[in-house]
Amino acid sequence: MKAEFTVFEDADGYWFVPRSEENAAIADPSSYRVSVHSTKIAACRDALLQAIDTGANELHLHGFGSTTSIKREAASSGVKPFIYWPSITTRIAPFVRAKKS
C-alpha cells in the first residue's frame, strides 16, 4: 500500500494534503491547510507518520516542500520513500521566506 502526499509552501509555512486533493488545495488553500509546519522536514515527518499509521509501505512525496532528507527516516521506519522533483505550482504565495539566523 502506498501513501501519496503533496507538500505545499505558503506564507504560513509548510503543509500537505493527500495527492488526490492537490488540485483542489491549489484552488482553495485555506480549506485544506489543516496542520502548518515551520519547516519542510517537519511537514514531511508528519506525512511519514500518517503513512505509518495507515500501514503504508511506500511514501510518495510531491510538491514544493518535499525534502530528500526524509528518505533516510522513512527507510529506517520500514517505509520505502519516493521523493519527486519540486513543483512551483505548490508554492502558494509569491514570497521569499526569510532565512533563520
Side-chain angles (χ1 to χ4, degrees):
M1 183 172 129
K2 68 180 179 178
E4 281 192 280
F5 299 103
T6 300
V7 180
F8 290 91
E9 179 189 22
D10 64 16
D12 293 334
Y14 299 89
W15 49 281
F16 63 94
V17 297
R19 175 87 167 149
S20 61
E21 298 176 7
E22 177 181 332
N23 290 333
I26 290 171
D28 186 15
S30 61
S31 295
Y32 290 86
R33 188 185 308 112
V34 177
S35 181
V36 179
H37 304 278
S38 60
T39 63
K40 288 187 275 187
I41 189 64
C44 292
R45 284 178 178 144
D46 195 12
L48 173 59
L49 289 175
Q50 284 193 23
I52 292 169
D53 287 346
T54 62
N57 58 1
E58 293 181 2
L59 173 64
H60 296 256
L61 291 176
H62 304 265
F64 185 81
S66 300
T67 177
T68 55
S69 62
I70 196 67
K71 285 182 174 182
R72 181 178 56 254
E73 294 180 32
S76 69
S77 299
V79 176
K80 187 172 182 179
F82 294 87
I83 310 300
Y84 299 92
W85 291 103
S87 170
I88 196 65
T89 60
T90 58
R91 189 174 207 182
I92 302 296
F95 70 98
V96 177
R97 293 175 67 94
K99 297 278 185 192
K100 293 185 179 183
S101 304

Coordinates of all heavy atoms in Angstrom, one line a residue:
M1 N 0.8 -1.2 0.0 CA 0.0 0.0 0.0 C 0.9 1.2 0.0 O 1.9 1.3 0.7 CB -0.9 0.0 1.2 CG -1.9 1.1 1.3 SD -3.0 0.9 2.7 CE -2.8 2.5 3.4
K2 N 0.5 2.3 -0.8 CA 1.3 3.5 -0.8 C 0.5 4.7 -0.3 O -0.7 4.7 -0.4 CB 1.8 3.7 -2.2 CG 0.8 4.1 -3.2 CD 1.6 4.4 -4.5 CE 0.6 4.7 -5.6 NZ 1.3 5.0 -6.9
A3 N 1.2 5.6 0.3 CA 0.6 6.8 0.8 C 1.3 7.9 0.0 O 2.5 8.0 -0.1 CB 1.0 7.1 2.3
E4 N 0.4 8.7 -0.7 CA 0.9 9.8 -1.6 C 0.4 11.2 -1.0 O -0.8 11.3 -0.8 CB 0.4 9.6 -3.0 CG 1.1 8.6 -3.8 CD 0.7 8.7 -5.3 OE1 -0.3 8.2 -5.6 OE2 1.5 9.3 -6.0
F5 N 1.3 12.1 -0.9 CA 1.0 13.4 -0.4 C 1.7 14.5 -1.3 O 2.7 14.2 -1.9 CB 1.5 13.6 1.1 CG 0.9 12.6 2.0 CD1 1.6 11.5 2.5 CD2 -0.4 12.8 2.5 CE1 1.1 10.7 3.4 CE2 -0.9 11.9 3.4 CZ -0.2 10.9 3.9
T6 N 1.1 15.6 -1.3 CA 1.7 16.8 -1.9 C 1.9 17.8 -0.8 O 1.1 18.1 0.0 CB 0.7 17.4 -3.0 OG1 0.4 16.4 -4.0 CG2 1.3 18.6 -3.6
V7 N 3.2 18.3 -0.8 CA 3.6 19.3 0.2 C 3.5 20.7 -0.4 O 4.0 20.9 -1.5 CB 5.0 19.0 0.7 CG1 5.5 20.0 1.7 CG2 5.1 17.6 1.2
F8 N 2.9 21.6 0.3 CA 2.8 23.0 -0.1 C 3.6 23.9 0.8 O 3.9 23.6 1.9 CB 1.3 23.4 0.0 CG 0.4 22.8 -1.0 CD1 -0.2 21.6 -0.7 CD2 0.2 23.3 -2.2 CE1 -1.1 21.0 -1.6 CE2 -0.6 22.7 -3.2 CZ -1.3 21.5 -2.9
E9 N 3.9 25.1 0.2 CA 4.6 26.1 1.0 C 3.8 27.4 0.7 O 3.4 27.7 -0.4 CB 6.0 26.3 0.6 CG 6.7 27.5 1.4 CD 8.0 27.9 0.8 OE1 8.3 27.6 -0.3 OE2 8.8 28.5 1.6
D10 N 3.5 28.1 1.8 CA 2.9 29.4 1.7 C 3.4 30.3 2.8 O 4.3 29.9 3.6 CB 1.4 29.4 1.5 CG 0.6 28.8 2.7 OD1 1.2 28.8 3.8 OD2 -0.5 28.5 2.6
A11 N 2.8 31.5 3.0 CA 3.2 32.4 4.0 C 3.1 31.8 5.4 O 3.9 32.2 6.3 CB 2.4 33.7 3.9
D12 N 2.2 30.9 5.6 CA 2.0 30.3 6.9 C 3.1 29.2 7.2 O 3.3 28.9 8.4 CB 0.6 29.7 7.1 CG -0.5 30.8 7.1 OD1 -0.2 31.9 7.5 OD2 -1.6 30.4 6.7
G13 N 3.6 28.6 6.2 CA 4.6 27.6 6.4 C 4.4 26.4 5.4 O 3.9 26.7 4.3
Y14 N 4.7 25.2 5.9 CA 4.6 24.0 5.0 C 3.4 23.2 5.5 O 3.2 23.0 6.7 CB 5.9 23.2 5.1 CG 7.0 24.0 4.5 CD1 7.8 24.8 5.4 CD2 7.4 24.0 3.2 CE1 8.9 25.6 4.9 CE2 8.4 24.8 2.7 CZ 9.2 25.5 3.6 OH 10.2 26.3 3.1
W15 N 2.7 22.6 4.6 CA 1.6 21.7 4.9 C 1.4 20.8 3.8 O 1.9 20.9 2.7 CB 0.3 22.5 5.2 CG 0.0 23.6 4.2 CD1 0.5 24.8 4.1 CD2 -1.0 23.5 3.2 NE1 0.0 25.5 3.1 CE2 -1.0 24.7 2.5 CE3 -1.9 22.5 2.8 CZ2 -1.8 25.0 1.4 CZ3 -2.7 22.8 1.7 CH2 -2.7 24.0 1.0
F16 N 0.6 19.7 4.0 CA 0.4 18.7 2.9 C -1.0 18.2 2.9 O -1.8 18.4 3.9 CB 1.4 17.6 3.1 CG 1.2 16.8 4.4 CD1 0.4 15.7 4.4 CD2 1.8 17.2 5.6 CE1 0.2 15.0 5.6 CE2 1.6 16.5 6.8 CZ 0.8 15.4 6.8
V17 N -1.4 17.7 1.8 CA -2.7 17.0 1.6 C -2.4 15.7 0.8 O -1.4 15.5 0.2 CB -3.6 17.9 0.7 CG1 -3.9 19.2 1.4 CG2 -3.1 18.2 -0.7
P18 N -3.4 14.8 0.9 CA -3.3 13.6 0.0 C -3.2 14.1 -1.4 O -3.8 15.1 -1.9 CB -4.6 12.9 0.3 CG -5.1 13.4 1.6 CD -4.6 14.8 1.7
R19 N -2.4 13.4 -2.2 CA -2.1 13.7 -3.6 C -3.4 13.9 -4.4 O -3.5 14.8 -5.3 CB -1.2 12.6 -4.2 CG -0.9 12.8 -5.7 CD 0.3 13.7 -5.9 NE 0.7 13.5 -7.3 CZ 1.2 14.5 -8.0 NH1 1.5 15.6 -7.4 NH2 1.6 14.3 -9.2
S20 N -4.4 13.1 -4.1 CA -5.6 13.2 -4.8 C -6.4 14.5 -4.6 O -7.2 14.9 -5.4 CB -6.6 12.0 -4.4 OG -6.9 12.1 -3.0
E21 N -6.0 15.3 -3.6 CA -6.6 16.6 -3.3 C -5.8 17.8 -3.7 O -6.1 18.9 -3.4 CB -7.0 16.6 -1.8 CG -8.0 15.6 -1.4 CD -8.2 15.6 0.1 OE1 -7.7 16.5 0.8 OE2 -8.9 14.7 0.6
E22 N -4.7 17.5 -4.4 CA -3.7 18.6 -4.8 C -4.4 19.7 -5.6 O -4.2 20.9 -5.2 CB -2.6 18.0 -5.6 CG -1.6 19.1 -6.1 CD -0.5 18.5 -6.9 OE1 -0.1 17.3 -6.8 OE2 0.0 19.3 -7.8
N23 N -5.1 19.4 -6.6 CA -5.7 20.5 -7.4 C -6.7 21.3 -6.6 O -6.8 22.5 -6.8 CB -6.4 19.9 -8.7 CG -5.3 19.4 -9.7 OD1 -4.2 19.9 -9.7 ND2 -5.7 18.4 -10.5
A24 N -7.5 20.6 -5.8 CA -8.5 21.4 -5.0 C -7.8 22.2 -4.0 O -8.2 23.4 -3.7 CB -9.4 20.4 -4.3
A25 N -6.7 21.8 -3.4 CA -5.9 22.6 -2.5 C -5.3 23.8 -3.1 O -5.2 24.8 -2.5 CB -4.9 21.7 -1.8
I26 N -4.8 23.6 -4.3 CA -4.3 24.8 -5.1 C -5.4 25.8 -5.3 O -5.1 27.0 -5.1 CB -3.6 24.3 -6.4 CG1 -2.3 23.5 -6.1 CG2 -3.3 25.5 -7.3 CD1 -1.7 22.9 -7.3
A27 N -6.5 25.4 -5.6 CA -7.7 26.3 -5.9 C -8.2 27.0 -4.7 O -8.6 28.2 -4.7 CB -8.8 25.5 -6.6
D28 N -8.1 26.3 -3.5 CA -8.7 26.9 -2.3 C -7.8 26.4 -1.1 O -8.2 25.6 -0.3 CB -10.1 26.4 -2.1 CG -10.8 27.1 -0.9 OD1 -10.3 28.1 -0.4 OD2 -11.9 26.6 -0.5
P29 N -6.6 27.0 -1.0 CA -5.7 26.6 0.1 C -6.2 26.6 1.5 O -6.0 25.8 2.3 CB -4.5 27.5 -0.1 CG -4.6 28.1 -1.4 CD -6.1 28.1 -1.8
S30 N -7.0 27.7 1.8 CA -7.4 27.9 3.2 C -8.4 26.7 3.6 O -8.4 26.4 4.8 CB -8.1 29.2 3.4 OG -9.3 29.3 2.5
S31 N -9.0 26.1 2.7 CA -9.9 25.0 3.1 C -9.1 23.7 3.4 O -9.6 22.8 4.0 CB -10.9 24.7 2.0 OG -11.8 25.8 1.8
Y32 N -7.9 23.6 2.9 CA -7.1 22.4 3.0 C -5.9 22.5 4.0 O -5.3 21.5 4.3 CB -6.6 21.9 1.6 CG -7.7 21.4 0.8 CD1 -8.5 22.3 0.0 CD2 -8.1 20.1 0.8 CE1 -9.6 21.8 -0.8 CE2 -9.1 19.6 0.0 CZ -9.9 20.5 -0.8 OH -10.9 20.0 -1.5
R33 N -5.6 23.7 4.3 CA -4.4 24.0 5.2 C -4.8 23.6 6.6 O -5.4 24.5 7.4 CB -4.0 25.4 5.1 CG -2.7 25.8 5.8 CD -2.4 27.3 5.7 NE -2.5 27.9 4.4 CZ -3.4 28.7 4.0 NH1 -4.3 29.1 4.8 NH2 -3.3 29.2 2.8
V34 N -4.6 22.4 7.1 CA -5.0 22.0 8.4 C -3.9 22.1 9.4 O -4.0 22.8 10.4 CB -5.5 20.5 8.4 CG1 -5.9 20.0 9.7 CG2 -6.7 20.4 7.4
S35 N -2.8 21.5 9.2 CA -1.7 21.5 10.1 C -0.5 22.1 9.4 O 0.1 21.5 8.5 CB -1.4 20.1 10.6 OG -0.3 20.1 11.5
V36 N 0.0 23.3 9.9 CA 1.1 24.0 9.3 C 2.3 23.8 10.1 O 2.3 23.9 11.3 CB 0.7 25.5 9.1 CG1 1.9 26.3 8.5 CG2 -0.6 25.7 8.3
H37 N 3.4 23.6 9.4 CA 4.7 23.3 10.0 C 5.7 24.5 9.6 O 5.6 25.0 8.5 CB 5.3 22.0 9.6 CG 4.4 20.9 9.9 ND1 4.3 20.3 11.1 CD2 3.4 20.2 9.1 CE1 3.3 19.3 11.1 NE2 2.8 19.3 9.9
S38 N 6.6 24.8 10.4 CA 7.6 25.9 10.1 C 8.7 25.4 9.2 O 9.4 26.3 8.6 CB 8.1 26.5 11.4 OG 8.8 25.5 12.2
T39 N 8.9 24.1 9.1 CA 10.0 23.6 8.2 C 9.5 22.5 7.3 O 8.5 21.9 7.6 CB 11.2 23.0 9.0 OG1 10.7 21.9 9.8 CG2 11.8 24.1 10.0
K40 N 10.2 22.3 6.2 CA 9.8 21.3 5.2 C 9.9 19.9 5.9 O 9.1 19.1 5.7 CB 10.7 21.3 4.0 CG 10.5 22.5 3.1 CD 11.3 22.4 1.8 CE 12.7 23.0 2.0 NZ 13.4 23.0 0.7
I41 N 11.0 19.7 6.6 CA 11.2 18.4 7.2 C 10.1 18.0 8.2 O 9.7 16.9 8.3 CB 12.6 18.2 7.8 CG1 12.9 16.8 8.2 CG2 12.8 19.2 9.0 CD1 13.0 15.8 7.1
A42 N 9.6 19.0 8.9 CA 8.6 18.8 9.9 C 7.3 18.3 9.2 O 6.6 17.4 9.6 CB 8.3 20.0 10.7
A43 N 7.0 19.0 8.0 CA 5.8 18.6 7.3 C 6.0 17.1 6.7 O 5.1 16.3 6.7 CB 5.6 19.6 6.1
C44 N 7.2 16.9 6.2 CA 7.5 15.5 5.7 C 7.4 14.5 6.7 O 6.9 13.4 6.5 CB 8.8 15.5 5.0 SG 8.9 16.5 3.4
R45 N 7.9 14.8 7.9 CA 7.8 13.8 9.1 C 6.4 13.5 9.4 O 6.0 12.4 9.7 CB 8.6 14.4 10.3 CG 10.1 14.3 10.1 CD 10.8 14.8 11.3 NE 12.2 14.7 11.2 CZ 13.1 15.6 11.6 NH1 12.7 16.7 12.2 NH2 14.4 15.4 11.4
D46 N 5.5 14.6 9.4 CA 4.1 14.4 9.7 C 3.5 13.5 8.7 O 2.7 12.6 9.0 CB 3.4 15.7 9.8 CG 2.1 15.6 10.5 OD1 1.7 14.6 11.1 OD2 1.3 16.6 10.4
A47 N 3.8 13.7 7.4 CA 3.3 12.8 6.3 C 3.8 11.4 6.5 O 3.0 10.4 6.3 CB 3.8 13.4 5.0
L48 N 5.0 11.2 6.9 CA 5.6 9.9 7.2 C 4.8 9.2 8.3 O 4.4 8.0 8.2 CB 7.1 10.0 7.5 CG 7.7 8.6 8.0 CD1 7.6 7.6 6.9 CD2 9.2 8.9 8.4
L49 N 4.5 9.9 9.4 CA 3.7 9.4 10.5 C 2.3 9.0 10.0 O 1.9 7.9 10.4 CB 3.6 10.4 11.6 CG 4.9 10.6 12.4 CD1 4.7 11.7 13.5 CD2 5.4 9.4 13.1
Q50 N 1.7 9.8 9.2 CA 0.4 9.4 8.7 C 0.5 8.1 7.8 O -0.4 7.3 7.9 CB -0.2 10.5 7.9 CG -0.8 11.6 8.8 CD -1.7 12.6 8.0 OE1 -2.2 12.2 7.0 NE2 -1.8 13.8 8.5
A51 N 1.6 8.0 7.0 CA 1.8 6.8 6.2 C 1.9 5.6 7.1 O 1.3 4.5 6.8 CB 3.0 7.0 5.3
I52 N 2.7 5.7 8.1 CA 2.9 4.6 9.0 C 1.6 4.2 9.7 O 1.3 3.0 9.8 CB 4.0 4.9 10.1 CG1 5.4 5.0 9.4 CG2 4.0 3.9 11.2 CD1 6.5 5.6 10.2
D53 N 0.9 5.2 10.2 CA -0.4 5.0 10.8 C -1.4 4.2 9.9 O -2.3 3.5 10.4 CB -1.0 6.3 11.3 CG -0.3 6.8 12.5 OD1 0.5 6.1 13.2 OD2 -0.6 8.0 12.9
T54 N -1.4 4.5 8.6 CA -2.3 3.8 7.7 C -1.8 2.5 7.2 O -2.4 1.8 6.5 CB -2.6 4.7 6.5 OG1 -1.4 4.9 5.8 CG2 -3.2 6.0 6.9
G55 N -0.6 2.1 7.7 CA 0.0 0.8 7.3 C 0.7 0.8 5.9 O 0.9 -0.3 5.3
A56 N 1.0 2.0 5.4 CA 1.6 2.1 4.1 C 3.0 1.6 4.1 O 3.7 1.7 5.1 CB 1.6 3.5 3.6
N57 N 3.5 1.0 3.0 CA 4.9 0.5 3.0 C 5.7 1.4 2.0 O 6.8 1.2 1.8 CB 5.0 -1.0 2.6 CG 4.3 -1.3 1.3 OD1 3.8 -0.5 0.6 ND2 4.4 -2.6 1.0
E58 N 5.0 2.4 1.3 CA 5.6 3.3 0.5 C 5.1 4.7 0.8 O 3.9 4.9 1.0 CB 5.3 3.0 -1.0 CG 5.8 1.8 -1.6 CD 5.4 1.6 -3.0 OE1 4.8 2.5 -3.6 OE2 5.8 0.5 -3.6
L59 N 6.0 5.7 0.8 CA 5.7 7.1 1.0 C 6.1 7.9 -0.3 O 7.3 7.9 -0.6 CB 6.4 7.7 2.2 CG 6.3 9.2 2.4 CD1 4.8 9.5 2.7 CD2 7.2 9.6 3.6
H60 N 5.1 8.5 -0.9 CA 5.4 9.3 -2.1 C 5.1 10.7 -1.8 O 4.0 11.1 -1.4 CB 4.4 8.8 -3.3 CG 4.7 7.4 -3.7 ND1 5.3 7.2 -4.9 CD2 4.3 6.3 -3.2 CE1 5.4 5.8 -5.1 NE2 4.8 5.3 -4.0
L61 N 6.2 11.6 -1.9 CA 6.0 13.0 -1.6 C 6.3 13.8 -2.8 O 7.3 13.7 -3.5 CB 7.0 13.4 -0.5 CG 6.8 12.9 0.9 CD1 7.9 13.3 1.8 CD2 5.5 13.3 1.4
H62 N 5.3 14.6 -3.2 CA 5.3 15.5 -4.3 C 5.3 16.9 -3.8 O 4.9 17.2 -2.7 CB 4.1 15.3 -5.2 CG 3.9 13.9 -5.7 ND1 4.4 13.4 -6.9 CD2 3.3 12.8 -5.1 CE1 4.1 12.2 -7.0 NE2 3.5 11.8 -6.0
G63 N 5.6 17.9 -4.6 CA 5.3 19.3 -4.3 C 6.6 20.1 -3.9 O 7.7 19.6 -3.9
F64 N 6.3 21.3 -3.7 CA 7.4 22.3 -3.4 C 8.2 22.0 -2.2 O 9.4 22.1 -2.2 CB 6.9 23.7 -3.3 CG 8.0 24.7 -3.2 CD1 8.7 25.1 -4.4 CD2 8.4 25.2 -2.0 CE1 9.7 26.0 -4.3 CE2 9.4 26.1 -1.9 CZ 10.1 26.5 -3.0
G65 N 7.6 21.5 -1.1 CA 8.3 21.4 0.1 C 8.9 20.1 0.4 O 9.6 19.9 1.4
S66 N 8.8 19.1 -0.5 CA 9.3 17.8 -0.3 C 10.8 17.9 -0.1 O 11.5 18.6 -0.8 CB 9.0 16.8 -1.4 OG 7.6 16.7 -1.6
T67 N 11.4 17.1 0.8 CA 12.8 17.2 1.1 C 13.4 15.8 1.0 O 12.8 14.8 1.5 CB 13.1 17.8 2.5 OG1 14.5 17.8 2.8 CG2 12.3 17.1 3.6
T68 N 14.6 15.7 0.5 CA 15.2 14.4 0.3 C 15.7 13.8 1.6 O 15.9 12.6 1.7 CB 16.3 14.4 -0.7 OG1 17.2 15.4 -0.3 CG2 15.8 14.8 -2.1
S69 N 15.9 14.6 2.6 CA 16.4 14.1 3.9 C 15.4 13.1 4.6 O 15.7 12.4 5.5 CB 16.8 15.2 4.8 OG 15.7 16.0 5.1
I70 N 14.1 13.2 4.1 CA 13.1 12.3 4.7 C 13.4 10.8 4.3 O 12.9 9.9 4.9 CB 11.7 12.7 4.4 CG1 10.6 12.1 5.3 CG2 11.3 12.5 2.9 CD1 10.7 12.5 6.7
K71 N 14.1 10.6 3.2 CA 14.4 9.3 2.7 C 15.0 8.4 3.8 O 14.5 7.3 3.9 CB 15.4 9.3 1.5 CG 14.7 9.8 0.2 CD 15.8 9.8 -0.9 CE 15.2 10.1 -2.2 NZ 16.2 10.0 -3.3
R72 N 16.0 8.9 4.5 CA 16.7 8.1 5.5 C 15.7 7.7 6.6 O 15.6 6.6 7.1 CB 17.9 8.9 6.0 CG 18.7 8.2 7.1 CD 19.9 9.1 7.5 NE 19.5 10.4 8.0 CZ 19.7 11.5 7.3 NH1 20.2 11.5 6.1 NH2 19.3 12.7 7.8
E73 N 14.9 8.7 7.1 CA 14.0 8.5 8.2 C 12.9 7.5 7.8 O 12.5 6.6 8.6 CB 13.4 9.8 8.6 CG 14.4 10.7 9.3 CD 13.8 12.0 9.7 OE1 12.6 12.1 10.1 OE2 14.6 13.0 9.7
A74 N 12.4 7.6 6.5 CA 11.4 6.7 6.1 C 11.9 5.3 6.0 O 11.3 4.3 6.5 CB 10.8 7.1 4.7
A75 N 13.1 5.1 5.4 CA 13.7 3.8 5.3 C 13.9 3.1 6.6 O 13.7 1.9 6.8 CB 15.0 3.9 4.5
S76 N 14.4 3.9 7.6 CA 14.6 3.4 8.9 C 13.3 3.0 9.6 O 13.3 2.2 10.6 CB 15.4 4.3 9.8 OG 14.7 5.5 10.1
S77 N 12.2 3.5 9.1 CA 10.9 3.2 9.7 C 10.2 2.0 8.9 O 9.1 1.6 9.2 CB 9.9 4.4 9.6 OG 10.4 5.4 10.4
G78 N 10.9 1.5 7.9 CA 10.4 0.4 7.2 C 9.5 0.8 6.0 O 8.8 0.0 5.5
V79 N 9.5 2.1 5.7 CA 8.7 2.6 4.6 C 9.6 3.0 3.4 O 10.6 3.7 3.7 CB 7.9 3.8 5.1 CG1 7.1 4.4 3.9 CG2 7.0 3.4 6.2
K80 N 9.3 2.6 2.2 CA 10.2 2.9 1.1 C 9.8 4.3 0.6 O 8.6 4.5 0.2 CB 10.0 1.9 0.0 CG 10.9 2.0 -1.2 CD 10.8 0.9 -2.2 CE 11.8 1.1 -3.3 NZ 11.7 0.0 -4.2
P81 N 10.7 5.2 0.6 CA 10.4 6.6 0.2 C 10.6 6.8 -1.3 O 11.5 6.3 -2.0 CB 11.5 7.4 0.9 CG 12.7 6.5 1.0 CD 12.1 5.1 1.1
F82 N 9.7 7.7 -1.9 CA 9.7 8.1 -3.2 C 9.6 9.6 -3.2 O 8.5 10.1 -2.8 CB 8.6 7.5 -4.1 CG 8.8 6.0 -4.3 CD1 8.2 5.2 -3.4 CD2 9.5 5.5 -5.4 CE1 8.4 3.8 -3.5 CE2 9.6 4.1 -5.5 CZ 9.1 3.3 -4.6
I83 N 10.6 10.4 -3.5 CA 10.6 11.8 -3.4 C 10.7 12.4 -4.9 O 11.6 12.0 -5.6 CB 11.8 12.4 -2.6 CG1 11.9 11.7 -1.3 CG2 11.7 13.9 -2.5 CD1 10.6 11.8 -0.4
Y84 N 9.8 13.2 -5.3 CA 9.7 13.7 -6.6 C 10.2 15.1 -6.7 O 10.4 15.8 -5.7 CB 8.3 13.6 -7.1 CG 7.8 12.2 -7.1 CD1 7.1 11.7 -6.0 CD2 8.0 11.3 -8.2 CE1 6.7 10.4 -6.0 CE2 7.6 10.0 -8.2 CZ 6.9 9.5 -7.1 OH 6.5 8.2 -7.0
W85 N 10.5 15.5 -8.0 CA 11.1 16.9 -8.2 C 10.1 17.9 -7.7 O 8.9 17.8 -7.8 CB 11.3 17.1 -9.7 CG 12.4 16.3 -10.2 CD1 12.3 15.1 -11.0 CD2 13.8 16.5 -10.1 NE1 13.5 14.7 -11.3 CE2 14.5 15.5 -10.7 CE3 14.5 17.5 -9.4 CZ2 15.9 15.4 -10.8 CZ3 15.9 17.4 -9.4 CH2 16.6 16.3 -10.1
P86 N 10.6 19.0 -7.1 CA 9.8 20.1 -6.7 C 8.9 20.7 -7.8 O 9.3 20.7 -8.9 CB 10.7 21.2 -6.2 CG 12.0 20.4 -5.9 CD 12.0 19.3 -6.9
S87 N 7.7 21.1 -7.4 CA 6.8 21.8 -8.3 C 6.5 23.2 -7.9 O 6.0 23.3 -6.7 CB 5.5 20.9 -8.4 OG 4.5 21.6 -9.1
I88 N 6.7 24.1 -8.7 CA 6.5 25.5 -8.3 C 5.0 25.8 -8.1 O 4.6 26.7 -7.5 CB 7.1 26.5 -9.4 CG1 7.1 27.9 -8.8 CG2 6.3 26.4 -10.7 CD1 8.1 28.1 -7.6
T89 N 4.1 24.9 -8.7 CA 2.7 25.1 -8.5 C 2.2 24.9 -7.1 O 1.1 25.3 -6.7 CB 1.9 24.2 -9.4 OG1 2.2 22.8 -9.1 CG2 2.1 24.4 -10.9
T90 N 3.0 24.3 -6.3 CA 2.6 24.1 -4.9 C 3.2 25.1 -4.0 O 3.2 25.0 -2.8 CB 3.0 22.6 -4.4 OG1 4.4 22.5 -4.6 CG2 2.3 21.6 -5.2
R91 N 3.8 26.1 -4.5 CA 4.3 27.3 -3.7 C 3.1 28.3 -3.9 O 3.0 29.0 -4.9 CB 5.6 27.9 -4.3 CG 6.2 28.9 -3.3 CD 7.5 29.3 -3.8 NE 8.3 29.8 -2.7 CZ 9.5 30.2 -2.7 NH1 10.1 30.3 -3.9 NH2 10.1 30.6 -1.7
I92 N 2.3 28.4 -2.9 CA 1.0 29.1 -3.0 C 1.2 30.6 -3.1 O 0.6 31.3 -3.9 CB 0.1 28.7 -1.8 CG1 -0.2 27.2 -1.8 CG2 -1.2 29.5 -1.9 CD1 -0.9 26.7 -3.0
A93 N 1.9 31.2 -2.2 CA 2.1 32.6 -2.1 C 3.4 33.1 -2.8 O 4.4 32.5 -2.6 CB 2.0 33.1 -0.7
P94 N 3.3 34.2 -3.5 CA 4.6 34.7 -4.2 C 5.4 35.5 -3.1 O 5.2 36.7 -3.0 CB 4.0 35.6 -5.3 CG 2.7 36.1 -4.8 CD 2.2 34.9 -3.9
F95 N 6.2 34.8 -2.4 CA 7.1 35.4 -1.4 C 8.4 34.6 -1.2 O 8.5 33.5 -1.7 CB 6.3 35.5 0.0 CG 6.2 34.1 0.6 CD1 7.1 33.7 1.5 CD2 5.2 33.2 0.2 CE1 7.0 32.4 2.1 CE2 5.2 31.9 0.7 CZ 6.1 31.5 1.6
V96 N 9.3 35.2 -0.5 CA 10.5 34.5 -0.2 C 10.6 34.5 1.3 O 10.6 35.5 2.0 CB 11.7 35.2 -0.8 CG1 13.0 34.6 -0.4 CG2 11.6 35.3 -2.3
R97 N 10.7 33.3 1.8 CA 10.8 33.1 3.3 C 12.2 33.6 3.8 O 13.2 33.3 3.1 CB 10.6 31.7 3.7 CG 9.2 31.2 3.4 CD 9.0 29.7 3.7 NE 9.2 29.4 5.1 CZ 8.1 29.4 6.0 NH1 6.9 29.5 5.6 NH2 8.4 29.1 7.2
A98 N 12.2 34.3 4.8 CA 13.4 34.8 5.4 C 14.2 33.6 6.0 O 13.6 32.7 6.6 CB 13.2 35.8 6.5
K99 N 15.5 33.6 5.8 CA 16.4 32.6 6.4 C 16.5 32.8 7.9 O 16.6 34.0 8.3 CB 17.7 32.5 5.8 CG 17.7 32.2 4.3 CD 17.7 30.7 4.1 CE 17.8 30.4 2.6 NZ 17.5 29.1 2.3
K100 N 16.5 31.8 8.7 CA 16.6 31.9 10.1 C 18.1 32.1 10.4 O 19.0 31.4 9.9 CB 16.1 30.7 10.9 CG 14.6 30.7 10.8 CD 14.0 29.6 11.6 CE 12.5 29.6 11.5 NZ 11.9 28.6 12.3
S101 N 18.4 33.0 11.3 CA 19.8 33.2 11.7 C 20.3 32.3 12.7 O 19.7 31.7 13.5 CB 20.0 34.6 12.3 OG 19.5 35.6 11.4

